[in-house]
Amino acid sequence: MQRLLFPPFRALKGRQCLQLLAPRAAPRVQCDCIRRPLRPGQYSTISEVALQSGRGTVSLPSKAAERVVGRWLLVCSGTVAGAVILGGVTRLTESGLSMVDWHLIKEMKPPTSQEEWEAEFQRYQQFPEFKILNHDMTLTEFKFIWYMEYSHRMWGRLVGLAYILPAAYFWRKGWLSRGMKGRVLALCGLVCFQGLLGWYMVKSGLEEKPDSHDIPRVSQYRLAAHLGSALVLYCASVWTSLSLLLPPHELPETRALLWLRRFAHGTAGLVFLTALSGAFVAGLDAGLVYNSFPKMGESWIPEDLFTFSPILRNVFENPTTVQFDHRILGITSVTAITVLYFLSRRIPLPRRTKMAAVTLLALAYTQGSVLFNFIFKISDLDEGIRNI
């Protein structure tokens, strides 16, 4: 009876199932290195870990999975860049306040009939932008700005789906390491926060202000927060993606390299601050105050630079000060990028790092040249209007 119920241990030990569960001694190796034996309870194969944890299969992150996740995040960063560009176009066409409510699912279906368009137009007519600025707007003109804002919102939903759906799939497949799970959760949370912040920004431009007859516009503070969070999302996605796709370079930690790294971090922060100041310029329409460069009007420092009280209020609410600060930050950023490029030439760096420095320099000067041409054309237009 004992032989029937309990076969000899040696016979069972030859089976695959028990071999997986039995702790293994260190296998013999052919090299001179010493391998420590496994402690009792340790398992040396994935199958053993699966059986010990009670699950049939375990999928661990691999190099192939990391490449897939890295490419996914790179595509996501591209969608974020597209959202920023589309948001800028929406701002330039003054279309951001055309949709006066927000629904996650309901507003995905645009008006189709004439009655629905007229009802949407009547809702828009109840808010300050129509009453003060667009009181003579036709239904055809309203459709244009409505579709501009609609495309921006739908693109934002596309960005959210591009992050959340693949993240859930990769999480379930086990392609995300423990550290990557935290990063992906943070990115998905930032996407959701970005959408809520966008509506919070638009809502500020729909509020009635009885004591003000100024052009209705969104809060420059909320606009800067909206743009800033989008830039953080973009940079975090690109950084995480490249950390998975590109192998790290092992460079000697010299004093010159350490100083270059710190200067690069400072330059990145300066560029980010310049972009945020640009959001304040857009929110206050401060770019229309002075349309000459390098002087502002007839002087280097305008007289109305500190007209608000307290003085700190001028930095965020005085259009002249906001434009002045943006000019100073822009010039400083281009100068810092130029210095960073020449510093990178003095240190032996990998090829892709040198290409990144050259690309950054080219983009900085391209941005500056486009801005200068725009200012000069506005100045010529203003001069032509004065001569009429």
mmCIF file of all heavy atoms in Angstrom, residues 85-124:
data_model
loop_
_atom_site.group_PDB
_atom_site.id
_atom_site.type_symbol
_atom_site.label_atom_id
_atom_site.label_comp_id
_atom_site.label_asym_id
_atom_site.label_seq_id
_atom_site.Cartn_x
_atom_site.Cartn_y
_atom_site.Cartn_z
ATOM 1 N N ILE A 85 0.680 72.674 -30.909
ATOM 2 C CA ILE A 85 0.608 73.462 -32.147
ATOM 3 C C ILE A 85 -0.834 73.830 -32.481
ATOM 4 O O ILE A 85 -1.146 74.983 -32.815
ATOM 5 C CB ILE A 85 1.256 72.677 -33.303
ATOM 6 C CG1 ILE A 85 2.755 72.484 -33.039
ATOM 7 C CG2 ILE A 85 1.033 73.389 -34.629
ATOM 8 C CD1 ILE A 85 3.432 71.576 -34.036
ATOM 9 N N LEU A 86 -1.727 72.850 -32.363
ATOM 10 C CA LEU A 86 -3.136 73.115 -32.651
ATOM 11 C C LEU A 86 -3.733 74.104 -31.658
ATOM 12 O O LEU A 86 -4.567 74.946 -32.018
ATOM 13 C CB LEU A 86 -3.917 71.804 -32.636
ATOM 14 C CG LEU A 86 -5.364 71.839 -33.139
ATOM 15 C CD1 LEU A 86 -5.427 72.404 -34.548
ATOM 16 C CD2 LEU A 86 -5.967 70.446 -33.092
ATOM 17 N N GLY A 87 -3.290 74.039 -30.408
ATOM 18 C CA GLY A 87 -3.737 75.022 -29.424
ATOM 19 C C GLY A 87 -3.262 76.419 -29.755
ATOM 20 O O GLY A 87 -3.993 77.400 -29.551
ATOM 21 N N GLY A 88 -2.044 76.533 -30.288
ATOM 22 C CA GLY A 88 -1.556 77.841 -30.708
ATOM 23 C C GLY A 88 -2.358 78.410 -31.864
ATOM 24 O O GLY A 88 -2.673 79.608 -31.893
ATOM 25 N N VAL A 89 -2.717 77.545 -32.827
ATOM 26 C CA VAL A 89 -3.546 77.996 -33.944
ATOM 27 C C VAL A 89 -4.929 78.414 -33.443
ATOM 28 O O VAL A 89 -5.493 79.422 -33.909
ATOM 29 C CB VAL A 89 -3.652 76.888 -35.005
ATOM 30 C CG1 VAL A 89 -4.608 77.287 -36.123
ATOM 31 C CG2 VAL A 89 -2.277 76.570 -35.578
ATOM 32 N N THR A 90 -5.460 77.673 -32.504
ATOM 33 C CA THR A 90 -6.753 78.030 -31.928
ATOM 34 C C THR A 90 -6.691 79.384 -31.235
ATOM 35 O O THR A 90 -7.627 80.195 -31.328
ATOM 36 C CB THR A 90 -7.199 76.946 -30.923
ATOM 37 O OG1 THR A 90 -7.232 75.678 -31.579
ATOM 38 C CG2 THR A 90 -8.580 77.255 -30.363
ATOM 39 N N ARG A 91 -5.583 79.641 -30.575
ATOM 40 C CA ARG A 91 -5.407 80.933 -29.915
ATOM 41 C C ARG A 91 -5.294 82.059 -30.938
ATOM 42 O O ARG A 91 -5.885 83.138 -30.771
ATOM 43 C CB ARG A 91 -4.166 80.883 -29.025
ATOM 44 C CG ARG A 91 -3.800 82.202 -28.365
ATOM 45 C CD ARG A 91 -4.848 82.646 -27.393
ATOM 46 N NE ARG A 91 -4.574 83.970 -26.865
ATOM 47 C CZ ARG A 91 -5.409 84.658 -26.117
ATOM 48 N NH1 ARG A 91 -6.585 84.154 -25.798
ATOM 49 N NH2 ARG A 91 -5.086 85.857 -25.676
ATOM 50 N N LEU A 92 -4.532 81.850 -32.001
ATOM 51 C CA LEU A 92 -4.331 82.888 -33.008
ATOM 52 C C LEU A 92 -5.627 83.221 -33.746
ATOM 53 O O LEU A 92 -5.851 84.370 -34.138
ATOM 54 C CB LEU A 92 -3.258 82.458 -34.010
ATOM 55 C CG LEU A 92 -1.816 82.411 -33.489
ATOM 56 C CD1 LEU A 92 -0.883 81.852 -34.544
ATOM 57 C CD2 LEU A 92 -1.359 83.791 -33.044
ATOM 58 N N THR A 93 -6.485 82.236 -33.960
ATOM 59 C CA THR A 93 -7.762 82.470 -34.635
ATOM 60 C C THR A 93 -8.864 82.904 -33.671
ATOM 61 O O THR A 93 -10.012 83.082 -34.107
ATOM 62 C CB THR A 93 -8.209 81.196 -35.368
ATOM 63 O OG1 THR A 93 -8.270 80.099 -34.445
ATOM 64 C CG2 THR A 93 -7.235 80.845 -36.483
ATOM 65 N N GLU A 94 -8.505 83.064 -32.376
ATOM 66 C CA GLU A 94 -9.465 83.499 -31.349
ATOM 67 C C GLU A 94 -10.703 82.611 -31.337
ATOM 68 O O GLU A 94 -11.845 83.079 -31.313
ATOM 69 C CB GLU A 94 -9.850 84.965 -31.563
ATOM 70 C CG GLU A 94 -8.669 85.921 -31.445
ATOM 71 C CD GLU A 94 -9.075 87.369 -31.603
ATOM 72 O OE1 GLU A 94 -10.218 87.626 -32.029
ATOM 73 O OE2 GLU A 94 -8.245 88.251 -31.298
ATOM 74 N N SER A 95 -10.445 81.297 -31.334
ATOM 75 C CA SER A 95 -11.534 80.323 -31.387
ATOM 76 C C SER A 95 -11.774 79.612 -30.068
ATOM 77 O O SER A 95 -12.701 78.807 -29.971
ATOM 78 C CB SER A 95 -11.217 79.274 -32.468
ATOM 79 O OG SER A 95 -10.925 79.875 -33.703
ATOM 80 N N GLY A 96 -10.966 79.893 -29.073
ATOM 81 C CA GLY A 96 -11.009 79.096 -27.853
ATOM 82 C C GLY A 96 -12.266 79.212 -27.037
ATOM 83 O O GLY A 96 -12.575 78.328 -26.233
ATOM 84 N N LEU A 97 -13.024 80.291 -27.197
ATOM 85 C CA LEU A 97 -14.232 80.502 -26.393
ATOM 86 C C LEU A 97 -15.507 80.218 -27.179
ATOM 87 O O LEU A 97 -16.593 80.609 -26.757
ATOM 88 C CB LEU A 97 -14.266 81.938 -25.859
ATOM 89 C CG LEU A 97 -13.081 82.341 -24.977
ATOM 90 C CD1 LEU A 97 -13.210 83.792 -24.543
ATOM 91 C CD2 LEU A 97 -12.974 81.425 -23.761
ATOM 92 N N SER A 98 -15.394 79.562 -28.321
ATOM 93 C CA SER A 98 -16.572 79.316 -29.149
ATOM 94 C C SER A 98 -17.449 78.195 -28.603
ATOM 95 O O SER A 98 -18.669 78.206 -28.817
ATOM 96 C CB SER A 98 -16.140 78.984 -30.578
ATOM 97 O OG SER A 98 -15.283 77.859 -30.586
ATOM 98 N N MET A 99 -16.853 77.225 -27.907
ATOM 99 C CA MET A 99 -17.623 76.152 -27.272
ATOM 100 C C MET A 99 -17.771 76.496 -25.790
ATOM 101 O O MET A 99 -16.790 76.541 -25.058
ATOM 102 C CB MET A 99 -16.912 74.809 -27.452
ATOM 103 C CG MET A 99 -16.759 74.403 -28.915
ATOM 104 S SD MET A 99 -15.922 72.816 -29.137
ATOM 105 C CE MET A 99 -17.160 71.682 -28.476
ATOM 106 N N VAL A 100 -19.014 76.744 -25.379
ATOM 107 C CA VAL A 100 -19.266 77.353 -24.067
ATOM 108 C C VAL A 100 -19.577 76.330 -22.985
ATOM 109 O O VAL A 100 -19.903 76.709 -21.859
ATOM 110 C CB VAL A 100 -20.412 78.371 -24.180
ATOM 111 C CG1 VAL A 100 -20.000 79.514 -25.094
ATOM 112 C CG2 VAL A 100 -21.685 77.704 -24.702
ATOM 113 N N ASP A 101 -19.497 75.043 -23.293
ATOM 114 C CA ASP A 101 -19.676 74.021 -22.264
ATOM 115 C C ASP A 101 -18.710 72.881 -22.550
ATOM 116 O O ASP A 101 -18.022 72.870 -23.571
ATOM 117 C CB ASP A 101 -21.125 73.513 -22.211
ATOM 118 C CG ASP A 101 -21.638 73.094 -23.575
ATOM 119 O OD1 ASP A 101 -20.820 73.046 -24.530
ATOM 120 O OD2 ASP A 101 -22.838 72.812 -23.710
ATOM 121 N N TRP A 102 -18.658 71.925 -21.618
ATOM 122 C CA TRP A 102 -17.704 70.830 -21.738
ATOM 123 C C TRP A 102 -18.363 69.538 -21.299
ATOM 124 O O TRP A 102 -18.896 69.440 -20.183
ATOM 125 C CB TRP A 102 -16.470 71.100 -20.884
ATOM 126 C CG TRP A 102 -15.358 70.104 -21.099
ATOM 127 C CD1 TRP A 102 -14.380 70.162 -22.054
ATOM 128 C CD2 TRP A 102 -15.106 68.906 -20.352
ATOM 129 N NE1 TRP A 102 -13.542 69.088 -21.951
ATOM 130 C CE2 TRP A 102 -13.962 68.291 -20.914
ATOM 131 C CE3 TRP A 102 -15.746 68.286 -19.288
ATOM 132 C CZ2 TRP A 102 -13.441 67.099 -20.431
ATOM 133 C CZ3 TRP A 102 -15.224 67.091 -18.808
ATOM 134 C CH2 TRP A 102 -14.079 66.517 -19.367
ATOM 135 N N HIS A 103 -18.358 68.548 -22.188
ATOM 136 C CA HIS A 103 -18.857 67.208 -21.895
ATOM 137 C C HIS A 103 -17.884 66.211 -22.517
ATOM 138 O O HIS A 103 -17.515 66.345 -23.690
ATOM 139 C CB HIS A 103 -20.265 66.997 -22.458
ATOM 140 C CG HIS A 103 -21.284 67.958 -21.932
ATOM 141 N ND1 HIS A 103 -21.846 67.843 -20.677
ATOM 142 C CD2 HIS A 103 -21.830 69.073 -22.486
ATOM 143 C CE1 HIS A 103 -22.702 68.834 -20.481
ATOM 144 N NE2 HIS A 103 -22.709 69.595 -21.559
ATOM 145 N N LEU A 104 -17.513 65.235 -21.733
ATOM 146 C CA LEU A 104 -16.490 64.299 -22.185
ATOM 147 C C LEU A 104 -16.956 63.491 -23.391
ATOM 148 O O LEU A 104 -16.198 63.290 -24.350
ATOM 149 C CB LEU A 104 -16.111 63.350 -21.045
ATOM 150 C CG LEU A 104 -15.004 62.328 -21.350
ATOM 151 C CD1 LEU A 104 -13.719 63.041 -21.724
ATOM 152 C CD2 LEU A 104 -14.798 61.387 -20.171
ATOM 153 N N ILE A 105 -18.205 63.042 -23.401
ATOM 154 C CA ILE A 105 -18.714 62.186 -24.467
ATOM 155 C C ILE A 105 -19.698 62.925 -25.363
ATOM 156 O O ILE A 105 -19.654 62.821 -26.593
ATOM 157 C CB ILE A 105 -19.396 60.926 -23.887
ATOM 158 C CG1 ILE A 105 -18.408 60.170 -22.980
ATOM 159 C CG2 ILE A 105 -19.896 60.018 -24.999
ATOM 160 C CD1 ILE A 105 -17.166 59.676 -23.681
ATOM 161 N N LYS A 106 -20.572 63.719 -24.766
ATOM 162 C CA LYS A 106 -21.663 64.349 -25.513
ATOM 163 C C LYS A 106 -21.164 65.276 -26.606
ATOM 164 O O LYS A 106 -21.706 65.301 -27.719
ATOM 165 C CB LYS A 106 -22.571 65.107 -24.542
ATOM 166 C CG LYS A 106 -23.765 65.778 -25.186
ATOM 167 C CD LYS A 106 -24.593 66.517 -24.147
ATOM 168 C CE LYS A 106 -25.753 67.243 -24.807
ATOM 169 N NZ LYS A 106 -26.564 67.991 -23.808
ATOM 170 N N GLU A 107 -20.111 66.047 -26.331
ATOM 171 C CA GLU A 107 -19.655 67.037 -27.300
ATOM 172 C C GLU A 107 -18.830 66.442 -28.428
ATOM 173 O O GLU A 107 -18.397 67.152 -29.340
ATOM 174 C CB GLU A 107 -18.836 68.126 -26.611
ATOM 175 C CG GLU A 107 -17.473 67.691 -26.139
ATOM 176 C CD GLU A 107 -16.691 68.829 -25.492
ATOM 177 O OE1 GLU A 107 -17.300 69.810 -25.051
ATOM 178 O OE2 GLU A 107 -15.461 68.704 -25.425
ATOM 179 N N MET A 108 -18.612 65.133 -28.401
ATOM 180 C CA MET A 108 -17.866 64.502 -29.477
ATOM 181 C C MET A 108 -18.661 64.499 -30.780
ATOM 182 O O MET A 108 -18.092 64.387 -31.864
ATOM 183 C CB MET A 108 -17.475 63.069 -29.082
ATOM 184 C CG MET A 108 -16.506 63.000 -27.914
ATOM 185 S SD MET A 108 -16.082 61.315 -27.453
ATOM 186 C CE MET A 108 -15.189 60.778 -28.902
ATOM 187 N N LYS A 109 -19.969 64.634 -30.698
ATOM 188 C CA LYS A 109 -20.819 64.686 -31.892
ATOM 189 C C LYS A 109 -21.106 66.150 -32.226
ATOM 190 O O LYS A 109 -21.782 66.843 -31.469
ATOM 191 C CB LYS A 109 -22.125 63.933 -31.646
ATOM 192 C CG LYS A 109 -23.087 63.959 -32.830
ATOM 193 C CD LYS A 109 -24.371 63.235 -32.480
ATOM 194 C CE LYS A 109 -25.352 63.296 -33.651
ATOM 195 N NZ LYS A 109 -25.764 64.679 -33.971
ATOM 196 N N PRO A 110 -20.610 66.652 -33.330
ATOM 197 C CA PRO A 110 -20.852 68.059 -33.684
ATOM 198 C C PRO A 110 -22.277 68.263 -34.172
ATOM 199 O O PRO A 110 -22.974 67.303 -34.536
ATOM 200 C CB PRO A 110 -19.832 68.304 -34.804
ATOM 201 C CG PRO A 110 -19.655 66.968 -35.435
ATOM 202 C CD PRO A 110 -19.782 65.955 -34.328
ATOM 203 N N PRO A 111 -22.728 69.512 -34.204
ATOM 204 C CA PRO A 111 -24.054 69.797 -34.772
ATOM 205 C C PRO A 111 -24.111 69.393 -36.244
ATOM 206 O O PRO A 111 -23.146 69.572 -36.987
ATOM 207 C CB PRO A 111 -24.198 71.307 -34.595
ATOM 208 C CG PRO A 111 -23.235 71.666 -33.514
ATOM 209 C CD PRO A 111 -22.093 70.719 -33.637
ATOM 210 N N THR A 112 -25.249 68.860 -36.647
ATOM 211 C CA THR A 112 -25.402 68.399 -38.030
ATOM 212 C C THR A 112 -26.495 69.149 -38.785
ATOM 213 O O THR A 112 -26.337 69.441 -39.968
ATOM 214 C CB THR A 112 -25.703 66.891 -38.048
ATOM 215 O OG1 THR A 112 -26.852 66.627 -37.213
ATOM 216 C CG2 THR A 112 -24.516 66.094 -37.532
ATOM 217 N N SER A 113 -27.570 69.476 -38.114
ATOM 218 C CA SER A 113 -28.683 70.149 -38.786
ATOM 219 C C SER A 113 -28.598 71.666 -38.578
ATOM 220 O O SER A 113 -27.846 72.155 -37.722
ATOM 221 C CB SER A 113 -30.015 69.617 -38.269
ATOM 222 O OG SER A 113 -30.165 69.911 -36.890
ATOM 223 N N GLN A 114 -29.374 72.371 -39.351
ATOM 224 C CA GLN A 114 -29.424 73.823 -39.222
ATOM 225 C C GLN A 114 -29.943 74.233 -37.864
ATOM 226 O O GLN A 114 -29.464 75.214 -37.271
ATOM 227 C CB GLN A 114 -30.313 74.406 -40.328
ATOM 228 C CG GLN A 114 -30.393 75.916 -40.352
ATOM 229 C CD GLN A 114 -29.090 76.576 -40.775
ATOM 230 O OE1 GLN A 114 -28.212 75.918 -41.342
ATOM 231 N NE2 GLN A 114 -28.949 77.870 -40.501
ATOM 232 N N GLU A 115 -30.918 73.501 -37.337
ATOM 233 C CA GLU A 115 -31.476 73.826 -36.017
ATOM 234 C C GLU A 115 -30.439 73.652 -34.920
ATOM 235 O O GLU A 115 -30.348 74.467 -33.989
ATOM 236 C CB GLU A 115 -32.705 72.942 -35.731
ATOM 237 C CG GLU A 115 -33.919 73.212 -36.616
ATOM 238 C CD GLU A 115 -33.757 72.624 -38.022
ATOM 239 O OE1 GLU A 115 -32.790 71.829 -38.214
ATOM 240 O OE2 GLU A 115 -34.566 72.967 -38.907
ATOM 241 N N GLU A 116 -29.636 72.602 -34.993
ATOM 242 C CA GLU A 116 -28.609 72.385 -33.984
ATOM 243 C C GLU A 116 -27.545 73.474 -34.038
ATOM 244 O O GLU A 116 -27.060 73.935 -32.997
ATOM 245 C CB GLU A 116 -27.986 71.008 -34.184
ATOM 246 C CG GLU A 116 -28.922 69.851 -33.863
ATOM 247 C CD GLU A 116 -28.268 68.504 -34.122
ATOM 248 O OE1 GLU A 116 -27.183 68.484 -34.732
ATOM 249 O OE2 GLU A 116 -28.850 67.473 -33.727
ATOM 250 N N TRP A 117 -27.171 73.906 -35.240
ATOM 251 C CA TRP A 117 -26.186 74.979 -35.359
ATOM 252 C C TRP A 117 -26.736 76.294 -34.808
ATOM 253 O O TRP A 117 -26.015 77.045 -34.137
ATOM 254 C CB TRP A 117 -25.771 75.162 -36.818
ATOM 255 C CG TRP A 117 -24.651 74.261 -37.243
ATOM 256 C CD1 TRP A 117 -24.706 73.255 -38.157
ATOM 257 C CD2 TRP A 117 -23.314 74.277 -36.744
ATOM 258 N NE1 TRP A 117 -23.487 72.648 -38.273
ATOM 259 C CE2 TRP A 117 -22.602 73.253 -37.425
ATOM 260 C CE3 TRP A 117 -22.633 75.040 -35.813
ATOM 261 C CZ2 TRP A 117 -21.257 72.986 -37.185
ATOM 262 C CZ3 TRP A 117 -21.290 74.786 -35.567
ATOM 263 C CH2 TRP A 117 -20.613 73.776 -36.248
ATOM 264 N N GLU A 118 -27.972 76.582 -35.077
ATOM 265 C CA GLU A 118 -28.564 77.815 -34.565
ATOM 266 C C GLU A 118 -28.662 77.786 -33.044
ATOM 267 O O GLU A 118 -28.443 78.816 -32.376
ATOM 268 C CB GLU A 118 -29.938 78.024 -35.196
ATOM 269 C CG GLU A 118 -29.884 78.371 -36.682
ATOM 270 C CD GLU A 118 -31.259 78.542 -37.283
ATOM 271 O OE1 GLU A 118 -32.248 78.276 -36.561
ATOM 272 O OE2 GLU A 118 -31.356 78.933 -38.471
ATOM 273 N N ALA A 119 -28.987 76.616 -32.482
ATOM 274 C CA ALA A 119 -29.043 76.502 -31.025
ATOM 275 C C ALA A 119 -27.658 76.689 -30.408
ATOM 276 O O ALA A 119 -27.506 77.353 -29.370
ATOM 277 C CB ALA A 119 -29.621 75.144 -30.633
ATOM 278 N N GLU A 120 -26.629 76.136 -31.051
ATOM 279 C CA GLU A 120 -25.256 76.311 -30.562
ATOM 280 C C GLU A 120 -24.826 77.768 -30.660
ATOM 281 O O GLU A 120 -24.170 78.304 -29.756
ATOM 282 C CB GLU A 120 -24.311 75.426 -31.383
ATOM 283 C CG GLU A 120 -22.896 75.357 -30.850
ATOM 284 C CD GLU A 120 -22.768 74.548 -29.575
ATOM 285 O OE1 GLU A 120 -23.635 73.680 -29.334
ATOM 286 O OE2 GLU A 120 -21.807 74.789 -28.816
ATOM 287 N N PHE A 121 -25.210 78.423 -31.743
ATOM 288 C CA PHE A 121 -24.872 79.828 -31.927
ATOM 289 C C PHE A 121 -25.577 80.705 -30.902
ATOM 290 O O PHE A 121 -25.003 81.686 -30.389
ATOM 291 C CB PHE A 121 -25.242 80.257 -33.347
ATOM 292 C CG PHE A 121 -24.693 81.598 -33.745
ATOM 293 C CD1 PHE A 121 -23.503 82.084 -33.211
ATOM 294 C CD2 PHE A 121 -25.366 82.389 -34.671
ATOM 295 C CE1 PHE A 121 -22.989 83.316 -33.581
ATOM 296 C CE2 PHE A 121 -24.866 83.632 -35.046
ATOM 297 C CZ PHE A 121 -23.684 84.089 -34.501
ATOM 298 N N GLN A 122 -26.807 80.367 -30.565
ATOM 299 C CA GLN A 122 -27.541 81.131 -29.551
ATOM 300 C C GLN A 122 -26.905 80.987 -28.172
ATOM 301 O O GLN A 122 -26.879 81.945 -27.388
ATOM 302 C CB GLN A 122 -28.992 80.674 -29.513
ATOM 303 C CG GLN A 122 -29.802 81.108 -30.735
ATOM 304 C CD GLN A 122 -31.214 80.569 -30.718
ATOM 305 O OE1 GLN A 122 -31.623 79.881 -29.770
ATOM 306 N NE2 GLN A 122 -31.982 80.877 -31.769
ATOM 307 N N ARG A 123 -26.382 79.831 -27.860
ATOM 308 C CA ARG A 123 -25.676 79.661 -26.576
ATOM 309 C C ARG A 123 -24.421 80.529 -26.543
ATOM 310 O O ARG A 123 -24.088 81.115 -25.510
ATOM 311 C CB ARG A 123 -25.318 78.185 -26.355
ATOM 312 C CG ARG A 123 -26.473 77.326 -25.915
ATOM 313 C CD ARG A 123 -25.995 75.986 -25.375
ATOM 314 N NE ARG A 123 -25.417 75.167 -26.429
ATOM 315 C CZ ARG A 123 -26.123 74.305 -27.157
ATOM 316 N NH1 ARG A 123 -27.431 74.175 -26.965
ATOM 317 N NH2 ARG A 123 -25.535 73.572 -28.089
ATOM 318 N N TYR A 124 -23.704 80.581 -27.663
ATOM 319 C CA TYR A 124 -22.503 81.413 -27.738
ATOM 320 C C TYR A 124 -22.840 82.892 -27.580
ATOM 321 O O TYR A 124 -22.061 83.659 -26.987
ATOM 322 C CB TYR A 124 -21.798 81.157 -29.067
ATOM 323 C CG TYR A 124 -20.621 82.067 -29.341
ATOM 324 C CD1 TYR A 124 -19.439 81.962 -28.618
ATOM 325 C CD2 TYR A 124 -20.697 83.047 -30.337
ATOM 326 C CE1 TYR A 124 -18.362 82.792 -28.878
ATOM 327 C CE2 TYR A 124 -19.623 83.886 -30.600
ATOM 328 C CZ TYR A 124 -18.460 83.751 -29.864
ATOM 329 O OH TYR A 124 -17.398 84.586 -30.118
#
